[in-house]
């Protein structure tokens, strides 16, 4: 690897460091150059500017947990649809909880940062549909599975983003691991209830 390649790698590493450590509010040429220990002129010379640098970062660097990591973290779900669904949701929650960069991506998208969503939304949509497909494959009749997954993932994603700016929500201390253990148990209960409801004979559980 030549000197230019090493410098480019340092700059790209610096993008990830700023993103994870400080967030999108600090993600600019000056801060990235400071983090990388280079003159900001090199960012323009090697990448053309900040939009092109973000393009290079999101195209080639890890900023979001892979589907394989989510499934591995979630653990073996087995053949039972409820158990399998909970394992996938648990894996997604745990991976998102430990990834500062992933949460900053979400925060940037919510804030309307087009320089974020342009490079991340399509890929995350693809992964979301892939995970949803796994849920449906193990659910037989897929009625309501999308809605259940959307509500639960939206709920714990909000709590994770809330945790980054405030410890408490409705009396829950989001800074404590025991709180997240209880939340995982509640997700498990809600998933089990969802599938029990779907299995109930007409007139006994539905409608």
């Amino acid at each position: 690897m030549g000197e230019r390649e090493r410098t480019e790698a340092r700059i790209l590493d610096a993008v990830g460091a700023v993103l994870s450590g400080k967030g999108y509010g600090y993600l600019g040429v000056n801060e990235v150059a400071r983090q990388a220990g280079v003159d900001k002129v090199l960012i323009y010379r090697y990448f053309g500017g900040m939009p092109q640098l973000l393009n290079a970062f999101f195209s080639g660097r890890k900023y979001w947990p892979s589907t394989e990591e989510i499934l591995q973290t979630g653990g073996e779900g087995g053949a039972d649809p409820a158990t399998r669904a909970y394992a996938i949701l648990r894996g997604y929650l745990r991976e998102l909880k430990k990834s500062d960069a992933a949460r900053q991506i979400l925060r940037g998208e919510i804030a309307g940062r087009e320089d974020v969503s342009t490079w991340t939304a399509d890929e995350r949509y693809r992964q979301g549909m892939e995970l949803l497909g796994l849920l449906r494959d193990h659910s037989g009749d897929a009625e309501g599975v999308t809605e259940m997954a959307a509500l639960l993932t939206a709920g714990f994603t909000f709590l994770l983003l809330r945790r980054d700016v405030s410890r408490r929500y409705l009396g829950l201390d989001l800074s404590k691991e025991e709180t997240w253990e209880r939340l995982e148990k509640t997700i498990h209960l809600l998933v089990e209830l969802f599938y029990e409801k779907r299995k109930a004979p007409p007139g006994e559980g539905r409608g």
Side-chain angles (χ1 to χ4, degrees), residues 89 144-158 190:
L89 292 168
V145 171
T146 300
E147 291 77 7
M148 178 270 294
L151 287 170
L152 290 178
T153 55
F156 64 65
T157 297
F158 167 78
L190 292 173

Side-chain angles (χ1 to χ4, degrees), residues 177-189:
E177 188 58 32
E178 62 189 57
T179 298
W180 291 98
E181 291 173 358
R182 294 199 306 272
L183 287 169
E184 283 192 10
K185 290 179 181 179
T186 302
I187 292 171
H188 192 189
L189 174 62

Side-chain angles (χ1 to χ4, degrees), residues 14-33:
V15 173
V18 173
L19 179 63
S20 297
K22 294 186 175 182
Y24 271 104
Y26 292 85
L27 196 56
V29 170
N30 290 332
E31 184 61 26
V32 170

Side-chain angles (χ1 to χ4, degrees), residues 125-176:
Y125 176 78
R126 182 203 61 75
Q127 184 191 62
M129 295 306 295
E130 182 180 8
L131 292 172
L132 185 59
L134 293 175
L135 286 174
R136 289 170 170 168
D137 287 345
H138 290 81
S139 298
D141 174 16
E143 179 184 355
V145 171
T146 300
E147 291 77 7
M148 178 270 294
L151 287 170
L152 290 178
T153 55
F156 64 65
T157 297
F158 167 78
L159 291 176
L160 286 169
L161 297 181
R162 172 78 177 186
R163 182 194 64 168
D164 290 340
V165 297
S166 176
R167 287 178 53 188
R168 298 192 178 277
Y169 184 77
L170 292 180
L172 296 175
D173 188 342
L174 300 175
S175 68
K176 293 185 176 180

